[in-house]
Amino acid sequence: NGMTPVDIASILLDGLGMEASGSIEPKPECECSEEKLFRSLRLLPREEVDSIIAEQGKVEARCHFCGAQYELGPDDVAS
């Protein structure tokens, strides 16, 4: 029917005094970065990261949202 999310919420929450506090325009932006990959790697056991480096020579990851691919080599993960 061409209803907005606020219209739908008003119907569902009728009688509860719902007021929209604001709105945002959704944007297909991804905030992935090599730094976030590095921080995620720090959550894994060191032995697991060392095993990946030994087998593949690098750690690769792909963002499931935007498709960006990141690679960290042995020197990058050594610290």
Side-chain angles (χ1 to χ4, degrees), residues 24-39:
I24 59 169
E25 183 69 30
K27 298 175 188 172
E29 285 183 22
C30 185
E31 297 181 5
C32 70
S33 68
E34 192 170 281
E35 173 63 27
K36 287 185 180 182
L37 169 59
F38 182 75
R39 288 195 323 242

Side-chain angles (χ1 to χ4, degrees), residues 32 37 59-71:
C32 70
L37 169 59
V59 176
E60 289 183 324
R62 179 181 305 256
C63 175
H64 292 285
F65 183 75
C66 72
Q69 186 162 339
Y70 298 96
E71 296 181 5

Side-chain angles (χ1 to χ4, degrees), residues 2 4 14 16 21 23 27 33 36-38 40 47-49 51-55 60 68 70 76 78:
T4 68
D14 185 39
L16 298 177
S21 62
S23 65
K27 298 175 188 172
S33 68
K36 287 185 180 182
L37 169 59
F38 182 75
S40 296
E47 299 80 29
E48 189 172 338
V49 176
S51 173
I52 294 169
I53 294 289
E55 290 174 17
E60 289 183 324
Y70 298 96
D76 299 318

